[in-house]
Amino acid sequence: MPARIRSRQRRTPTQAAADRRADELARYLGRGLRDARRSVGATQADVARAAAISRSLVSKIERGLAADASLTTWARTAQAIGVDVRAYVAGATATDGPRDAVHLRAQELIARSATAGGWQAHPERAIDLDPGRSRAADLVLTRGIKVVLVEVYDWLPDVGDAFRSWDRKLASVERRAIALAPAVDGATEVCTCGIWILRATRTNRRLVAAHRAVFRARFPGSAAAWLAALERADRPMPKEPALVWITVAGDRLVPARLG
């Protein structure tokens, strides 16, 4: 009989509860790392080589069967994928926590920052006038006639598709804002723009650095000016979209410098 099974037969109630929690955490972290690996197009063999561990151990980690693995092994595996294991641990505060805990934490930070600047936050807001369509924005911020589309990206498996989706969503946000805005002197006036919030993982930072000219062309606005406009009611909304980093831990927004 394996040593671990023998030892578990002699566990106290406290030890048994702790072991169950360790197994739950291993399953949660394993799923997160598996999804992150797939999103960047890496294989288990790629991760194993970068982390200097066996491919079979990577497989065990992803299946949630590596509760006994060392913290160093977990950290190396996450680093090999380009993510920070701390972000997943922070999201695993409860076994019944939401699957989108990391994304939700980003939305919370943005909404809290924007509220300080006099914006009203609308998370997961429908953006199409047709009620039969189901598209929604991560966040829509409104302040008077100003409307901001905020999209949060954990990673970018297809940059071109993300760009095209962004254009379509921004157009829909503008159409909806115009349709719903009250007319003044027979005219309807709205001002729409938007920002991308991208997690500052190693993979994402390398991607942006390798294609800086492309991202600069798509996001010519000042990220610093956008953050100031979100956090202060006396700052005007920039007229051009910008790219903003959010730390891997999800606790801070940082301007992206694309110049």
Side-chain angles (χ1 to χ4, degrees):
M1 182 180 296
R4 178 168 175 168
I5 296 178
R6 286 201 304 271
S7 65
R8 287 197 168 192
Q9 290 177 339
R10 300 190 295 271
R11 294 177 298 173
T12 67
T14 297
Q15 293 167 343
D19 287 346
R20 285 194 300 271
R21 180 55 175 154
D23 290 339
E24 291 164 358
L25 283 169
R27 287 192 294 271
Y28 179 93
L29 295 174
R31 286 195 300 268
L33 294 182
R34 178 200 62 198
D35 293 344
R37 174 183 62 77
R38 290 175 176 174
S39 73
V40 299
T43 66
Q44 289 184 344
D46 294 332
V47 174
R49 282 193 297 272
I53 59 177
S54 67
R55 194 201 64 78
S56 62
L57 180 52
V58 174
S59 176
K60 284 184 61 178
I61 286 172
E62 293 189 351
R63 288 180 290 138
L65 303 177
D68 288 340
S70 70
L71 183 58
T72 298
T73 296
W74 282 101
R76 281 188 178 186
T77 304
Q79 192 71 19
I81 297 168
V83 297
D84 192 327
V85 73
R86 291 176 298 180
Y88 294 93
V89 173
T93 56
T95 57
D96 59 349
R99 294 176 58 188
D100 60 346
V102 173
H103 204 76
L104 186 63
R105 190 160 54 250
Q107 289 175 305
E108 169 68 20
L109 175 62
I110 299 159
R112 190 166 59 245
S113 300
T115 299
W119 298 88
Q120 184 175 359
H122 309 274
E124 301 298 332
R125 184 171 188 171
I127 60 174
D128 295 296
L129 289 170
D130 182 356
R133 303 188 67 176
S134 59
R135 288 192 308 169
D138 290 330
L139 275 170
V140 172
L141 306 175
T142 57
R143 188 172 73 183
I145 65 170
K146 298 177 177 64
V147 183
V148 180
L149 169 65
V150 182
E151 287 289 273
V152 181
Y153 293 91
D154 296 331
W155 49 72
L156 296 169
D158 188 325
V159 177
D161 182 66
F163 283 163
R164 292 187 292 272
S165 175
W166 163 261
D167 288 337
R168 291 191 295 268
K169 284 191 172 185
L170 192 57
S172 294
V173 166
E174 185 172 23
R175 285 193 296 268
R176 180 182 174 89
I178 292 173
L180 299 181
V184 178
D185 296 330
T188 300
E189 182 181 2
V190 296
C191 183
T192 60
C193 199
I195 52 176
W196 268 25
I197 307 294
L198 184 60
R199 286 188 73 207
T201 62
R202 182 177 63 177
T203 297
N204 288 340
R205 287 186 281 108
R206 284 179 174 174
L207 174 68
V208 172
H211 305 283
R212 192 179 302 275
V214 172
F215 280 91
R216 183 170 59 244
R218 295 293 305 201
F219 301 101
S222 166
W226 266 105
L227 291 181
L230 291 184
E231 298 171 357
R232 293 181 54 178
D234 63 340
R235 294 297 180 92
M237 182 185 83
K239 296 180 180 180
E240 295 181 312
L243 176 67
V244 176
W245 295 114
I246 184 170
T247 58
V248 173
D251 59 353
R252 192 161 52 95
L253 298 172
V254 182
R257 294 177 174 83
L258 303 177

